[in-house]
């Protein structure tokens, strides 16, 4: 067994390659990729068995502590309940050499009913809900194929999850995931999730835009500051806003706080994430399908590909180089060791590939500056912040 990375293995599993919504910003269907539509609509039992076998092989190759399976789509609840139960049961039955197994699902919640909640509870599936805020904000992008709002159905599903309890305690505490839009006020977004929905664990994602697909980044930066200020003013230790808490932790000196897709990931992070399609094909960072870069081509199939071969693949090596290389134009930036140039998808252009800085450079400077200011107000000295930023030797 190799005593090396990854200690944490995350697989984004495409259990359904279709969706009942038609979100305009969706990188799966609406940003030029036809991979999903050319894949099997839902995962087969044979592919589920192949995944279980792959995981059992992998824990014999590597000393993995945590296996995280993220059930994704499309909309994962378009997989029939019987097949979903089979999938969860087979994954739970595997022999993983002592590694803990976490199963999560990212859903638009429009199809959730009591039977689904029973499956989640039975197989210990954590559930995360996608909603972008109040109805007038959510409906900017998150409509169905007939152009109708998804807000009420999503909220109904969230409430069903939130009211299901055993012995007075919630069985499922569903966090919420929202994609930011330049047209929204961050304070309003926070208040809707916190006050209206009663959520205490949520996150805000930067849209999967890049130099070929630009956006008003200054407006995104303002939203991030408004969210940060609202979180600070709320003064609720039980409220976790992942993008805020993760970056605050890094600025406060906690370098081990790695959140895949949020904080900077490098070769020392001991974490690996990749995508597996409904047919078992293996790809790197799922958001990169919209770039049409040759980095997003199939590495192999889980039926016969080993984790060692994934590590040695051209695609993963190329992605690691991108993530480990701070763009030249970021070399003098005080936030460079926190941001590291940004996520690959936000650095992409068809002309320069992934060599540039994130298009959200201005937004991240605004946001990180506010985070640092809040930490200073909370008692972290400027000298400590400088050390934590890794810039104490800068002239």
């Amino acid at each position: 067994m190799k005593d090396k990375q990854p200690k944490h293995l995350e697989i984004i599993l495409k259990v359904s390659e279709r969706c009942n919504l038609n979100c305009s910003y969706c990188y799966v269907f609406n940003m030029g990729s036809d991979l999903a539509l050319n894949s099997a609509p839902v995962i087969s039992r044979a592919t589920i068995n192949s995944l279980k076998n792959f995981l059992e092989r992998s824990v014999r190759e590597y000393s993995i502590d945590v296996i995280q399976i993220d059930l994704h789509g499309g909309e994962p609840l378009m997989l029939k309940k019987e097949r979903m139960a089979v999938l969860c049961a087979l994954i739970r039955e595997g022999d993983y050499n002592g590694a803990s197994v976490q199963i999560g699902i990212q859903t638009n919640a429009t199809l959730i009913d009591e039977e689904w909640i029973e499956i989640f509870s039975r197989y210990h599936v954590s559930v995360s809900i996608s909603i972008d805020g109040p109805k007038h904000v959510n409906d900017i992008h998150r409509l169905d194929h007939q152009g109708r709002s998804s807000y009420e159905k999503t909220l109904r599903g969230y409430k069903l999850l939130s009211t299901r309890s055993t012995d007075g305690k919630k069985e499922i505490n569903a966090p919420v995931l929202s994609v930011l839009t330049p047209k929204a006020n961050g304070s309003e977004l926070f208040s809707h999730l916190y006050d209206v929905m009663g959520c205490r664990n949520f996150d805000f994602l930067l849209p999967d835009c890049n130099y070929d697909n630009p956006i008003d980044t200054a407006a995104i930066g303002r939203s991030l500051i408004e969210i940060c200020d609202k979180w600070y003013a709320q003064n609720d230790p039980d409220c976790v806003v992942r993008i805020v808490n993760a970056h605050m932790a890094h600025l406060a000196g906690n370098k081990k706080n790695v959140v895949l897709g949020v904080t900077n990931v490098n070769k020392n992070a001991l974490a690996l994430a990749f995508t597996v399609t409904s047919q078992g094909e293996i790809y790197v960072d799922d958001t990169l399908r919209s770039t049409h870069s040759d980095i997003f081509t199939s590495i192999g199939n889980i039926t016969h590909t080993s984790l060692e071969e994934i590590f040695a693949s051209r695609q993963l090596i190329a992605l690691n180089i991108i993530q480990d290389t701070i763009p030249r134009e970021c070399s003098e930036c005080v936030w460079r060791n926190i941001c590291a140039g940004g996520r690959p998808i936000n650095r992409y252009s068809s002309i320069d590939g992934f060599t540039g800085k994130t298009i959200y450079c201005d937004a991240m400077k605004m946001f990180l500056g506010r985070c640092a200011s809040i930490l200073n107000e909370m008692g972290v000295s400027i000298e400590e912040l400088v050390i934590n930023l890794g810039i104490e030797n800068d002239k």
Side-chain angles (χ1 to χ4, degrees):
M1 179 182 293
K2 304 176 182 68
D3 187 19
K4 57 179 281 191
Q5 61 175 344
K7 296 294 185 181
H8 186 123
L9 176 63
E10 180 178 5
I11 295 177
I12 295 89
L13 182 63
K14 299 291 182 175
V15 298
S16 168
E17 302 274 12
R18 303 294 184 268
C19 191
N20 60 333
L21 298 187
N22 186 31
C23 303
S24 58
Y25 54 49
C26 180
Y27 62 80
V28 176
F29 300 109
N30 289 326
M31 294 184 72
S33 172
D34 58 4
L35 175 62
L37 294 178
N38 289 332
S39 299
V42 296
I43 194 169
S44 68
R45 181 158 183 159
T47 301
I48 297 168
N49 276 312
S50 293
L51 174 65
K52 174 174 169 284
N53 294 336
F54 168 83
L55 294 173
E56 291 179 330
R57 295 196 309 270
S58 297
V59 296
R60 292 194 292 269
E61 285 185 89
Y62 294 87
S63 55
I64 298 171
D65 294 332
V66 178
I67 296 171
Q68 178 179 337
I69 307 295
D70 300 329
L71 307 179
H72 268 234
E75 169 49 46
L77 298 192
M78 292 188 75
L79 184 68
K80 298 296 184 183
K81 293 168 184 172
E82 181 182 3
R83 180 77 54 87
M84 182 69 80
V86 167
L87 184 155
C88 294
L90 283 173
I91 295 298
R92 290 290 182 202
E93 290 169 3
D95 178 6
Y96 305 122
N97 199 35
S100 69
V101 177
Q102 302 170 356
I103 303 177
I105 191 164
Q106 187 67 46
T107 173
N108 61 42
T110 60
L111 302 175
I112 286 178
D113 58 21
E114 291 291 345
E115 291 180 346
W116 274 119
I117 294 174
E118 177 58 35
I119 291 172
F120 301 151
S121 180
R122 187 190 323 158
Y123 295 107
H124 305 287
V125 178
S126 61
V127 185
S128 181
I129 305 299
S130 297
I131 189 170
D132 286 352
K135 186 177 187 298
H136 69 277
V137 175
N138 183 78
D139 290 355
I140 294 173
H141 297 290
R142 302 187 62 80
L143 303 175
D144 69 11
H145 290 276
Q146 285 73 47
R148 298 173 300 197
S149 171
S150 64
Y151 177 81
E152 287 82 3
K153 289 182 178 180
T154 297
L155 196 61
R156 179 194 57 80
Y158 176 79
K159 288 180 177 178
L160 270 178
L161 284 170
S162 299
T163 55
R164 175 70 176 263
S165 64
T166 300
D167 298 327
K169 296 182 178 180
K170 287 184 183 179
E171 283 190 25
I172 301 171
N173 291 293
V176 167
L177 195 61
S178 297
V179 178
L180 292 172
T181 172
K183 299 179 181 179
N185 176 277
S187 179
E188 182 186 20
L189 298 179
F190 184 102
S191 294
H192 186 81
L193 300 184
Y194 187 93
D195 297 317
V196 178
M197 295 179 62
C199 187
R200 295 296 180 268
N201 187 345
F202 44 96
D203 193 18
F204 297 96
L205 299 181
L206 302 178
D208 293 316
C209 297
N210 51 50
Y211 290 96
D212 290 354
N213 176 34
I215 195 172
D216 183 352
T217 56
I220 296 294
R222 287 192 294 272
S223 290
L224 287 171
I225 287 177
E226 291 158 353
I227 289 165
C228 204
D229 286 344
K230 194 73 173 179
W231 169 85
Y232 184 42
Q234 199 67 50
N235 193 27
D236 181 354
D238 295 325
C239 178
V240 175
V241 182
R242 188 172 66 160
I243 191 171
V244 176
N245 289 72
H247 284 96
M248 286 280 194
H250 268 220
L251 287 168
N254 184 358
K255 305 302 183 185
K256 293 183 180 180
N257 189 304
V258 175
V259 181
L260 295 173
V262 178
T263 53
N264 176 32
V265 176
N266 58 43
K267 61 187 176 183
N268 298 315
L270 302 180
L272 171 66
F274 55 84
T275 303
V276 175
T277 71
S278 62
Q279 295 175 197
E281 294 298 308
I282 303 164
Y283 291 82
V284 294
D285 183 345
D286 194 37
T287 64
L288 298 181
R289 69 173 66 203
S290 64
T291 66
H292 303 291
S293 166
D294 64 0
I295 196 173
F296 198 82
T297 52
S298 178
I299 295 172
N301 193 285
I302 53 171
T303 303
H304 49 73
T305 304
S306 69
L307 193 54
E308 178 71 18
E309 290 171 320
I310 295 173
F311 271 120
S313 68
R314 171 188 60 80
Q315 297 91 328
L316 188 60
I317 289 172
L319 179 60
N320 285 339
I321 290 172
I322 294 167
Q323 292 176 329
D324 291 340
T325 304
I326 296 178
R328 185 170 53 221
E329 55 197 316
C330 302
S331 61
E332 301 299 320
C333 179
V334 297
W335 311 112
R336 63 183 180 272
N337 295 320
I338 305 295
C339 172
R343 295 168 58 223
I345 182 60
N346 304 137
R347 293 168 57 175
Y348 179 76
S349 81
S350 54
I351 297 175
D352 298 319
F354 301 94
T355 59
K357 64 182 180 180
T358 174
I359 62 164
Y360 293 109
C361 177
D362 57 343
M364 289 305 296
K365 285 179 178 178
M366 295 164 67
F367 171 59
L368 292 172
R370 186 65 187 119
C371 287
S373 176
I374 288 174
L375 284 172
N376 186 234
E377 291 180 42
M378 295 170 66
V380 180
S381 70
I382 297 297
E383 290 74 19
E384 288 177 275
L385 286 169
V386 168
I387 292 171
N388 296 338
L389 286 168
I391 58 173
E392 66 270 23
N393 294 321
D394 286 8
K395 293 182 180 180

